[in-house]
Amino acid sequence: MRIDRINVYTAQLPVKGGAYRMASDDVETLDSTLVEIVANNGLVGWGETCPIGPVYQPHHALGARAAIAEIAPGLIGSEIASIRRLAKQMDERLNGHGYAKAAFDMAFLDLLGLKLGVPVSTLLGGALTDRVPAYYSLIVGSPEETARIATEKVKTGYVRLQVKIGGRNLEEDVAVIHKVWEAVGYKARIAVDGNRGLTVAAAIHLDRLCQAISFVFEQPCNTMDEIATLKGRMTHPVYLDESTEDQNAVLRAISLGIADGFGFKVTRLGGLTKMTTVRDLCTVRSLPHSCDDAWGGDIIAAACVHLAATVEPSRMEGAWIAQEYINGHFDGKNPVIIDKGHIAVPQRPGLGVKPEPGMFGKPIAIYGP
Ligand code: 0XW
Ligand code: MG
């Protein structure tokens, strides 16, 4: 099975219900990039990469497309058999830019799964479950409104909530955390996500002011070095998200003992194949983590869920997919959906999702003979 053609598309994904607010940025529409790989045997594989704006992390939509333009011509005619060889070929054309390579990695796995007749979860080592928990992300908001939505979401079946804080005064963040805790208590596990927005001093204050509340503190400060200084000074466990820029960053955080868990993003780590390495490192050290992406449609959602299915369930912090903030699906027949706070793992070969034909309009680029 060889690569005959690569078509690149874009999809604009407006945020349902207004802006998605985080400490670092507010976003209103996300710009997704899709790759469609057509093989010489007629099979078609899909991949996607969708940074949540240009500020959340050092990724942006135009950067992804420029990287794809560097890589794609070198893949035409390549055999899709060894994912490792294809990764090497991509590295030989472009250094870094894992979030663009991630889209190709997804499409290669989709094609390989279709050819072998197995779901992508099998290619990632094998599923341990057929249903994974999602988690609900509560944007930066007022204490009352955030607690109201938290209560509602727990009632629908979510077992974990992520409460966004930061970018405003500490008093309000502390009030939000207390209100959510009063509203849901132990009915859901809570992650408080600073999205890099707090100083070390503010993180320590917040930790003390919420001492009796059970939560994990996700990416409170901007850099891994700042977060390293929190070691031994916090009552709450600290998770890294944005700082997990690649496999080496994860290895460093684990060896320094500065992370009690992680919020992983498939595209940031360079794709599903690279994610299996950090998943396995976490297994060795019994570290919990999520399998998310920053945003994206059904292709990214399927990728997150296949990977999440291969994680030891007791350490799975959930697969965050953007469904709650997106209107509609790429695949109306077999969408990836959250039902009672959980997501069924696609059982069909490959990723198990296919965008409706023609839904992205004309390709913005075509590579091939
Ligand atoms: C909740 N998320 C996975 C979605 C947005 O990309 C932000 C992110 C996070 O945890 O920071
Ligand atoms: Mg986060």
Side-chain angles (χ1 to χ4, degrees), residues 20 22 52 56 135 137 162 164 193 195 218 241-242 265 292-295 320:
Y20 184 83
M22 299 174 285
I52 177 170
Y56 175 74
Y135 66 88
S137 174
Q162 181 195 60
K164 299 268 187 217
D193 191 358
N195 283 119
E218 181 174 326
D241 177 356
E242 288 91 318
K265 305 280 182 287
D292 314 329
D293 216 288
W295 211 268
W320 186 86

Side-chain angles (χ1 to χ4, degrees), residues 21 138-150 163-165 168 171-177 179-180:
R21 273 192 303 282
L138 296 146
I139 60 174
V140 174
S142 70
E144 294 70 27
E145 181 63 358
T146 310
R148 186 190 66 73
I149 303 171
V163 182
K164 299 268 187 217
I165 57 147
R168 58 183 180 184
E171 201 181 334
E172 226 179 330
D173 285 338
V174 171
V176 165
I177 296 166
K179 270 272 178 228
V180 170

